[in-house]
Amino acid sequence: MSLVLRNLQRAVPIRRAPLRKKLEIVRSILGVQKFDLAIICVDNKSIQHINKIYREKNLPTDVLSFPFHENVKAGELPQPDFPDDYNLGDIFLGVEYIFQQCKRNEDYYDVLTVTATHGLCHLLGFTHSTEAEWQKMYQKEKQVLEELSRRTGTSLQPLSRGLFW
């Protein structure tokens, strides 16, 4: 199905093609190509507003995920009953926030890819509320990013790598 990649901000220039190319590979690695997915790039003001409404945190963040299917167990794919239900959900990328957090030696598009992969794992039921959940999510992100790195010649590390260390 389709990957919709929308840029709804003007704070940071975004070239969608390189991000789309890597995210199509990530979708392939995860086996979710038959599902629709929306990735929306927003600025600090927008992501802060969304974060305040849905998480009661009045500050900008890097990524917010809104799954179409609730109660998906980590590591399992949704089992839609109808064709219209082949949808994973929406990922909001706080691209301005991500850009501001990037270190000098980091490639911005690599960081966007890692952050979107993290968001995609959330859509697939992975969380990091406890150390056990984090371990499971970290291993999935690591596996996906290692395969992506192998296919693209990059060296990407999971977003959640230091969460419980």
Side-chain angles (χ1 to χ4, degrees), residues 2 9 110:
S2 68
Q9 57 83 46
D110 284 350

PDB file of all heavy atoms in Angstrom, residues 2 9 110:
ATOM      1  N   SER A   2       0.388   2.325   0.471  1.00  0.00           N
ATOM      2  CA  SER A   2       1.138   3.559   0.250  1.00  0.00           C
ATOM      3  C   SER A   2       1.802   4.113   1.506  1.00  0.00           C
ATOM      4  O   SER A   2       1.351   3.902   2.626  1.00  0.00           O
ATOM      5  CB  SER A   2       0.209   4.629  -0.337  1.00  0.00           C
ATOM      6  OG  SER A   2      -0.746   5.026   0.619  1.00  0.00           O
ATOM      7  N   GLN A   9       5.640  21.904   7.553  1.00  0.00           N
ATOM      8  CA  GLN A   9       6.400  22.921   8.273  1.00  0.00           C
ATOM      9  C   GLN A   9       7.375  23.607   7.320  1.00  0.00           C
ATOM     10  O   GLN A   9       7.639  23.117   6.230  1.00  0.00           O
ATOM     11  CB  GLN A   9       7.152  22.300   9.453  1.00  0.00           C
ATOM     12  CG  GLN A   9       8.093  21.160   9.097  1.00  0.00           C
ATOM     13  CD  GLN A   9       9.451  21.624   8.613  1.00  0.00           C
ATOM     14  OE1 GLN A   9      10.064  22.500   9.214  1.00  0.00           O
ATOM     15  NE2 GLN A   9       9.935  21.051   7.523  1.00  0.00           N
ATOM     16  N   ASP A 110      19.747  10.549   8.301  1.00  0.00           N
ATOM     17  CA  ASP A 110      19.908   9.307   9.064  1.00  0.00           C
ATOM     18  C   ASP A 110      19.142   9.389  10.375  1.00  0.00           C
ATOM     19  O   ASP A 110      18.468   8.435  10.774  1.00  0.00           O
ATOM     20  CB  ASP A 110      21.390   9.026   9.351  1.00  0.00           C
ATOM     21  CG  ASP A 110      22.144   8.503   8.141  1.00  0.00           C
ATOM     22  OD1 ASP A 110      21.505   8.170   7.117  1.00  0.00           O
ATOM     23  OD2 ASP A 110      23.388   8.436   8.217  1.00  0.00           O
TER      24      ASP A 110
END
